Amino acid sequence: MPLVPDVHQAEPIPEAARAALDALLSSGDLFRYTAPQDAPVALLEAEFAALIGSKYALAVSSCSAALFLSLKALGLPRDARVLIPGFTFAAVPSSVVHADCVPVLCEVGENYRIALADFAARLEQDIAAVIISHMRGHTSDMDAIMALCEARGIPVIEDAAHSLGTTWHGRNIGTIGRAGCFSFQSYKMINAGEGGILVTDDADLLARAVIMSGAYEHNWRKHEGPKGDNSPDLETAFARWQNRLPLYNLRMSNLSAAVIRPQLPELARRVAAGRIGHDHVAARLNASPHLSVPAKLPPEMRAPDSIQFNLVGLSDDETHAFAAAAEARGLKVQVFGMSTDNARAFWNWQFLADLPELPRTRAMLMRACDVRLPVRLSRSELDLIADILLAAIAEVTGADRAYGT
Ligand SMILES: *Cc1c(COP(=O)(O)O)cnc(C)c1O
């Protein structure tokens, strides 16, 4: 029997990282603000901004730190209400709490995207800012969301932690709102173990975030705008905020930047491979009447390194039996709402003072399954994963094992 691939194993770091890491180890120059210019972190910021199509980038210690700094940089007052989706990673409500704001949750539909009518209704409830979480890369309707928020002057922050390479009308996710935040944690498209980056076109927001990230004294001088941009916006903004903001010290180390930079040229290949692999498995799963991979929205081009699908017409017991049947065949399937500790199930965010009920989101989470599909998997490994899922659903529903083969 072929071996089930380890879906938690990352891709190797490109060879080119070794020389950069060796140079850093010999010089000991690990702090981003020691070198007068061209520190690896500063080079990463320039390269990432150019790659993604935004004016400015600020590399930090995690995507959670980037989300926190975005909220702080908006200058929201204490207890400001921030609207977030009810389906996201616990880091998102946590960043709101960390910024002394109050998370307000909205419903998410069974296609894992924000339920727009509920979003629009809650937007009227004294909302000061919005975080859109493109959960597992699933992009909510950004045209509708931006129109609703712009009409009310409400700033939008995009949590694109797990969406690097996803586009909306050809534009990179994370560049549509006022700020976008990405993660370099190991389970994301680019792996540095830990790390994050904030992108924006707003010089004032960038300047505030840079200073609060820990650019003490005049270290902000080592942050620049895009090449060829001679406008004084950034310099003016830094001068405006000098000595007026707390320093949270959420900087990125040169070591992380040296691991990330050689992966940037790999991104296009990883995105293309991930999409082909995902769509192949999705087509096979959709052949079963009991498995449903929701369609993407038309303007979206996905960049998946995992697959999500809903179990159709199964009871709670059958849902548990399906996960057990897959595990018995060597594949771990996570049903978001079925474990006692899943950090993406809103009822487990018990650190929130006011934990709301979201019936629609809850119903989705009780049947939504999550399987990692690292972009390095071969066609036969992807087929093996699809075979296991189809065999598991056939076992549970007693249906013909030949579905989709
Ligand atoms: C991973 C992830 C985060 C947190 O990223 P860190 O870099 O680990 O802080 C936030 N939101 C989503 C949707 C994620 O997938």
Side-chain angles (χ1 to χ4, degrees):
M1 201 172 127
L3 217 57
V4 182
D6 174 2
V7 294
H8 286 88
Q9 210 173 51
E11 290 216 11
I13 305 300
E15 198 55 36
R18 280 180 208 278
L21 285 169
D22 264 351
L24 289 174
L25 294 182
S26 339
S27 66
D29 184 10
L30 307 186
F31 182 55
R32 68 164 298 166
Y33 291 129
T34 304
Q37 63 204 23
D38 292 343
V41 179
L43 294 174
L44 166 65
E45 289 169 343
E47 290 161 0
F48 193 88
L51 176 77
I52 202 92
S54 66
K55 242 168 140 174
Y56 310 111
L58 169 65
V60 289
S61 52
S62 68
C63 180
S64 300
L67 289 167
F68 162 74
L69 286 171
S70 304
L71 292 170
K72 295 302 287 183
L74 287 175
L76 302 177
R78 182 175 286 271
D79 293 332
R81 289 160 60 82
V82 178
L83 188 57
I84 66 171
F87 175 42
T88 183
F89 187 55
V92 175
S94 303
S95 71
V96 178
V97 171
H98 192 186
D100 291 321
C101 296
V102 177
V104 178
L105 275 50
C106 77
E107 291 271 25
V108 172
E110 61 179 25
N111 66 352
Y112 319 133
R113 288 157 176 90
I114 286 170
L116 281 175
D118 190 64
F119 176 84
R122 290 182 205 254
L123 209 51
E124 302 299 337
Q125 299 170 9
D126 194 23
I127 296 299
V130 164
I131 299 181
I132 300 298
S133 211
H134 305 294
M135 194 49 185
R136 291 287 192 272
H138 301 293
T139 307
S140 293
D141 184 343
M142 288 307 287
D143 297 347
I145 287 168
M146 293 309 294
L148 285 165
C149 292
E150 276 167 3
R152 291 161 183 77
I154 298 174
V156 174
I157 295 166
E158 288 179 85
D159 166 20
H162 209 155
S163 303
L164 181 57
T166 306
T167 60
W168 179 258
H169 292 299
R171 189 166 158 189
N172 276 301
I173 281 299
T175 65
I176 297 169
R178 184 85 66 86
C181 303
F182 297 87
S183 175
F184 301 122
Q185 186 266 344
S186 289
Y187 294 158
K188 316 295 161 121
M189 199 56 98
I190 288 181
N191 163 24
E194 301 284 359
I197 199 161
L198 179 164
V199 300
T200 184
D201 286 346
D202 181 330
D204 206 65
L205 188 149
L206 191 272
R208 288 172 57 89
V210 163
I211 291 174
M212 287 189 280
S213 77
Y216 59 92
E217 297 165 355
H218 276 69
N219 278 315
W220 53 256
R221 290 214 168 106
K222 292 175 180 169
H223 290 263
E224 290 175 7
K227 290 263 176 298
D229 175 33
N230 297 320
S231 72
D233 298 3
L234 195 55
E235 182 111 18
T236 314
F238 279 127
R240 186 181 310 128
W241 294 110
Q242 180 77 64
N243 299 345
R244 294 188 54 206
L245 297 167
L247 306 170
Y248 295 104
N249 284 9
L250 301 164
R251 295 172 300 254
M252 178 180 278
S253 143
N254 280 337
L255 284 174
S256 304
V259 170
I260 294 165
R261 290 183 60 219
Q263 294 181 65
L264 296 183
E266 295 270 299
L267 181 63
R269 179 191 63 78
R270 291 183 187 176
V271 166
R275 187 181 302 141
I276 291 168
H278 171 278
D279 291 353
H280 175 68
V281 175
R284 291 205 51 204
L285 300 190
N286 275 333
S288 161
H290 297 288
L291 302 178
S292 165
V293 182
K296 68 180 190 65
L297 301 184
E300 180 189 352
M301 283 280 272
R302 304 200 238 220
D305 59 5
S306 64
I307 190 164
Q308 289 71 44
F309 54 92
N310 295 324
L311 301 174
V312 181
L314 266 64
S315 67
D316 281 358
D317 284 349
E318 288 167 331
T319 299
H320 280 299
F322 168 76
E327 190 162 7
R329 290 167 171 81
L331 182 69
K332 189 125 180 66
V333 177
Q334 183 168 237
V335 185
F336 288 107
M338 280 290 182
S339 65
T340 53
D341 62 353
N342 196 303
R344 298 147 204 91
F346 63 86
W347 54 89
N348 290 331
W349 306 338
Q350 288 167 21
F351 51 86
L352 296 186
D354 239 340
L355 207 52
E357 184 45 37
L358 301 169
R360 198 168 160 190
T361 309
R362 180 185 287 267
M364 177 274 285
L365 290 167
M366 295 308 278
R367 293 294 176 270
C369 301
D370 190 24
V371 175
R372 283 180 47 76
L373 289 181
V375 304
R376 65 182 162 72
L377 295 189
S378 66
R379 182 55 66 103
S380 58
E381 289 172 318
L382 293 165
D383 273 327
L384 183 56
I385 288 173
D387 290 342
I388 290 173
L389 295 170
L390 290 164
I393 197 71
E395 181 183 313
V396 170
T397 60
D400 177 9
R401 275 166 183 267
Y403 276 135
T405 55

